[in-house]
Amino acid sequence: MIKSLPVRTRLAGWYTAVLSVGLIVFSLIVWLILRHMLYADFSAMLVNQARGFEEYLHIEEKEHASDLVREMDEFSKSLPQDHLLMVYDASENLIYSNKPVAAHQSWERGHYFEVRRSIALDRGPVKVVLSISTAATDRAVTLLGWLLALAVPFFALGAAGGGYWLSRKALLPVDGITERARLIGIGNLSERLDVPQTRDELQRLTETWNAMLARLDAAVSRISRFTADASHELRTPVAIIRLAAENALRKSRPEIEYRTALARIQRESENMTCLIDDLLFLARADVEQSSAAVDLVDLRELVRDVCSDVAALAAAKNLTVNQQVPAHSVSVAGRTADLRRMLLILLDNAVKYTPEEGFIRIQLDQADDQAILRIEDSGIGIPEEARTRVFQRFFRVDPSRSKESGGYGLGLAIAQAIVQRHNASIELQSNAAGGCIFSVSMPVAA
Ligand code: ADP
């Protein structure tokens, strides 16, 4: 229920509650301490006066034994108006009172403090009752009680109003940010919120919002570009397939021509299947942050395996493939299929972009807790200015050239996505001969 209330109401509510409890406790303590101090003073004073009266009686008894009552009266003149002094003899008969007996009743009705004292005189014991009316103090204490009781709700109400106003004022900019943020959609992701230079939570909030918008903007642009590039790449094979079919169907032809057209369609369909497969892989890599199934992959085994896979392709171009693996196995945690795919992409590129009679070297090493895989070729290399972009999707150094070899510029992007999934890194350098060196380093499995 409370959670559904606006923040400002909750803030004001909490503020008021805490303040009210504080005020109530404070008022109660003040009232109790004050009352205790006042009444403690009364009793201390009465005890003193009674003691004084006792001493006085002892002295007076010696000097004016016959007229002790008059001496009592003498003493009571020194007492303030609000004191009542009564003296009883051993058989509880009132022998002296400083006020008429009629006044005793009203005295008893009111509040008073009293001390009783038995005094042994020569003429027999007497009982002294000395009391003081606390009416004035009672009135003051009651009045203070009422004042405090009224002040607490008064201040609490003030605090509620003030707290609501303050939190409203403090949260007003948040409403502004919310309004602005509400207007930002996929169409205007490049817009940003105004950052108040207040060095507070609001500044951090808007900066965080803006950083998030920037990330979203970049992601959406990337996806849009990717979709546009993908559609563009898919258009060509589809157009070829359509043209081949339309041509074949335009008139009746000999069987060989149909076969040629169908073979063309088949080839393009295969290309398209590969492209769609790559696109799907990248799209999945964007949403899946980590590889779900983790195997223990022996990279040495993998290198041997993939090398034998590309051996035929390399042999067709008369390339020398040199394999250098350590004597012990080097295991990493990952997905065998993905790592195999990454290695195949790098080796396939090396074969594709290395002219006949060249060489390819695959090297696996372990340095501390890192497994390092190097794929080096003596090929045409990648120009300096293109090196940072080769991992981008659909990037080709020379589109016309790599199109001939069937590449869409997705291979290295896929390799990088795989590398990232495995907490690894991939780096591109060039060797003295101008060829490429791709080195991948990834943590060795414990
Ligand atoms: P593609 O499918 O076109 O090969 P990649 O993403 O695998 O796409 O590579 C991107 C571009 O990087 C290629 O078009 C090519 O120009 C360049 N490239 C990749 N590997 C090599 C290499 N070993 N030697 C020279 N150029 C390379």
Side-chain angles (χ1 to χ4, degrees), residues 51 55 58 83 104 123 129 136 140 151 154 169 179 182-183 210 239 286 309 330 345 374 437 445:
R51 196 177 299 131
E55 282 164 13
H58 281 305
H83 281 53
H104 293 187
R123 51 178 279 191
V129 180
F154 178 78
K169 197 168 139 61
E179 267 315 300
R182 209 197 299 274
L183 296 176
N210 281 347
D286 281 342
D309 282 356
V330 180
I345 289 169
R374 269 162 56 103
I437 308 172

Side-chain angles (χ1 to χ4, degrees), residues 349-350 352-353 377 380-382 390 395-397 401-402 407-412 436 438:
N349 276 352
K352 260 195 304 194
Y353 301 107
D377 62 54
I380 55 170
I382 296 173
V390 284
F395 178 80
R396 286 167 291 212
V397 175
R401 189 188 61 198
S402 62
Y408 288 98
L410 289 177
L412 288 181
C436 290
F438 283 94

